[in-house]
Amino acid sequence: MFSSFMIAADKSGSGKTTLTTGIIRYLTRTGRTVAPFKCGPDYIDTLHLERASGRKAYNLDSVMLSRGTVCNVYAHGCDGADAAVIEGVMGVLDGVSHTDFKGSSADIAAVTNVPCVLVVDCSGSSYTAAAVVRGITELGRMRIAGVVLNNIASERHALLVRSAVETHTDCKVLGTLPKNSENLLGSRHLGIKTAMEIDESYLDACADFASANVDIDGLLSLCSAERPACVQEPAVKPDRVAYVAYDKAFQFYYNSNMEFLTSQGFDVKFFSPLAGDGIDGADFVYIGGGYPELYAKELSESRTAKIIKDYAESGGKLYAECGGLMFLSRGIHTDSGFFQMSGVFDCETRMCARRQALGYVSAELVKDCIMGNRGQSNIGHEFHYSAMEGYSGEYAYELTRITDGKKSSDGLIYKNTFAAYTHLHFLCDNPLIKNMIRS
């Protein structure tokens, strides 16, 4: 029997990441093959789900991707699995539109035809939780397979909330989570610790926690479904080499992006700037986001910085996002001082106490370059705490934030190197990253 469901929540911080990780780990530990997914553009949670399942996790994003592509990514990820578990994003109705909730967990649930398990934060309330569940169910027009009550202070509190929810809604309460039990992970400005920073005992603790407090077998029976049909694309014989930076400093990538490179005839190889790896024979280099500021000293001493500078100077094709842009600058200002980077671009970056950008943007080219022609555009996503300093050159992008229309600039070009704070999904219908990869 195949089962599929989404763990969504009434708001951020309601415990959905811990619960999703725990359920996936429990199912995997008991012999199931689990297909993990994450709604939206988040990288960190996706890596935790990957660690918990031992299987590639895919992002389902209905803002950067068409609805048809979201369905294809979902079907591809489900291939060969006994269950599919999707972690929601933010509050269940939080997206880029207040009218149709585009980009929200509810939107992804509708696109994939998957029921939701709704996690509700019950701290400071009891019967009101029924109104929250009923309102979400009616406004989101979604299937709620069941409800998990979080931040329950006592058995009496659990009884009060359970009674109200099951009396005033059609939803069954599948579990109750004790107060303050979700804080199993440390945090940092971009979110919880990365999957590379935790050990197996944390994942097993999440599994024990989930199985002790949630009726997982009951959940599976409520969410049985037909496995989506997956169309297998014919394999492409590689005739080029793409090097992708991957280590503790650079680890924010969509698995779909790697697979897109393979579909375009690239043999994808991973290299570690922290380890001083080279990129011999590269036809394309991709340096994604991550935490370069945490490893700035090691990166400044790595021979890879000079290798990347020489590659860019030679006209090699190089694409960098966010943390990758920071590595291509002259250096990074951190609390511990200034550390030199590769110096491909004549600018510096500085870590800031406050977040500098967050949200989906339309990135329109304002000049012709390796990414395409002036006027072409892409939907992307920004999330960073660093800021660029000392750059006097032209920008390639005019950014327009999707939610409020705010304008800004992004995108640096040097020969065949392009770097920006904006993250792109390579399966998007927009042409920019495809122009660069296919040129």
Side-chain angles (χ1 to χ4, degrees):
M1 180 183 74
F2 178 77
S3 299
S4 61
F5 55 91
M6 176 187 292
I7 305 292
D10 58 335
K11 60 184 178 181
S12 292
S14 288
K16 61 181 178 290
T17 297
T18 302
L19 183 60
T20 307
T21 302
I23 290 176
I24 289 175
R25 183 66 164 191
Y26 172 80
L27 294 175
T28 302
R29 203 168 63 181
T30 52
R32 280 94 154 187
T33 300
V34 182
F37 300 91
K38 171 67 182 179
C39 292
D42 181 272
Y43 295 101
I44 298 175
D45 290 350
T46 309
L47 287 169
H48 282 283
L49 305 184
E50 199 161 288
R51 278 283 305 276
S53 66
R55 192 175 157 104
K56 286 183 179 179
Y58 293 90
N59 290 74
L60 304 175
D61 192 311
S62 55
V63 179
M64 289 194 284
L65 304 180
S66 70
R67 300 175 87 78
T69 301
V70 170
C71 288
N72 291 340
V73 172
Y74 175 67
H76 172 68
C78 287
D79 190 37
D82 302 313
V85 182
I86 307 172
E87 182 188 345
V89 57
M90 301 176 65
V92 64
L93 300 180
D94 296 330
V96 296
S97 168
H98 69 279
T99 55
D100 61 5
F101 310 119
K102 182 177 180 180
S104 68
S105 302
D107 189 33
I108 296 297
V111 171
T112 57
N113 193 29
V114 167
C116 286
V117 175
L118 185 64
V119 182
V120 179
D121 181 0
C122 300
S123 57
S125 68
S126 58
Y127 301 145
T128 304
V132 173
V133 174
R134 186 167 175 173
I136 289 172
T137 303
E138 294 180 1
L139 190 60
R141 297 182 296 277
M142 56 199 300
R143 288 189 293 149
I144 304 292
V147 177
V148 174
L149 309 175
N150 196 11
N151 279 320
I152 295 298
S154 64
E155 290 185 8
R156 174 172 169 74
H157 187 202
L159 177 62
L160 294 176
V161 181
R162 180 190 293 268
S163 299
V165 169
E166 294 186 343
T167 296
H168 296 288
T169 78
D170 295 327
C171 299
K172 178 178 176 59
V173 174
L174 294 170
T176 57
L177 309 181
K179 192 172 184 178
N180 299 323
S181 57
E182 74 277 7
N183 297 321
L184 299 179
L185 280 177
S187 64
R188 183 177 295 130
H189 53 254
L190 292 185
I192 59 179
K193 289 182 178 178
T194 67
M196 288 187 178
E197 297 175 291
I198 63 171
D199 56 29
E200 296 296 306
S201 63
Y202 164 75
L203 299 172
D204 286 330
C206 287
D208 293 341
F209 171 72
S211 61
N213 294 286
V214 177
D215 179 8
I216 297 179
D217 289 336
L219 167 58
L220 293 176
S221 65
L222 288 170
C223 299
S224 60
E226 292 289 330
R227 184 185 292 105
C230 175
V231 178
Q232 297 289 350
E233 298 293 335
V236 176
K237 185 176 180 179
D239 57 5
R240 294 177 290 173
V241 177
Y243 276 89
V244 179
Y246 193 85
D247 54 25
K248 288 184 178 180
F250 305 101
Q251 54 185 286
F252 294 167
Y253 299 96
Y254 300 126
N255 280 315
S256 294
N257 286 9
M258 303 299 105
E259 293 173 2
F260 179 78
L261 290 175
T262 301
S263 75
Q264 299 302 301
F266 285 101
D267 178 13
V268 176
K269 298 179 181 292
F270 295 98
F271 73 103
S272 169
L274 284 173
D277 291 346
I279 51 172
D280 294 341
D283 296 294
F284 178 70
V285 175
Y286 179 17
I287 307 177
Y291 290 124
E293 68 275 13
L294 298 182
Y295 305 95
K297 184 177 185 297
E298 294 93 327
L299 290 171
S300 70
E301 297 169 350
S302 170
R303 73 186 190 102
T304 303
K306 184 178 186 308
I307 291 171
I308 291 295
K309 175 68 179 294
D310 291 344
Y311 176 79
E313 288 288 351
S314 71
K317 192 184 298 184
L318 195 164
Y319 175 70
E321 294 175 332
C322 204
L325 181 154
M326 296 168 70
F327 186 55
L328 297 187
S329 72
R330 286 197 306 267
I332 304 174
H333 293 272
T334 74
D335 291 340
S336 301
F338 176 76
F339 298 94
Q340 290 187 342
M341 295 291 124
S342 62
V344 173
F345 293 107
D346 188 20
C347 64
E348 297 173 358
T349 55
R350 182 181 297 276
M351 296 308 302
C352 304
R354 301 183 65 179
R355 188 177 63 219
Q356 299 299 295
L358 171 63
Y360 290 101
V361 294
S362 174
E364 180 179 340
L365 287 177
V366 293
K367 60 183 300 182
D368 296 341
C369 65
I370 193 170
M371 295 288 279
N373 298 322
R374 179 187 176 95
Q376 290 184 308
S377 63
N378 232 107
I379 301 297
H381 187 266
E382 285 190 295
F383 187 10
H384 57 94
Y385 273 72
S386 71
M388 194 185 312
E389 295 181 344
Y391 182 66
S392 58
E394 294 182 294
Y395 289 96
Y397 285 156
E398 179 184 70
L399 301 184
T400 304
R401 195 157 60 193
I402 298 296
T403 51
D404 61 9
K406 182 180 178 180
K407 303 284 187 180
S408 59
S409 297
D410 193 16
L412 281 60
I413 310 166
Y414 180 72
K415 295 186 177 181
N416 288 323
T417 293
F418 189 94
Y421 273 117
T422 305
H423 296 272
L424 300 180
H425 198 299
F426 293 3
L427 295 188
C428 61
D429 289 341
N430 310 107
L432 300 193
I433 190 62
K434 295 175 182 177
N435 287 341
M436 184 177 192
I437 291 171
R438 292 168 173 167
S439 65

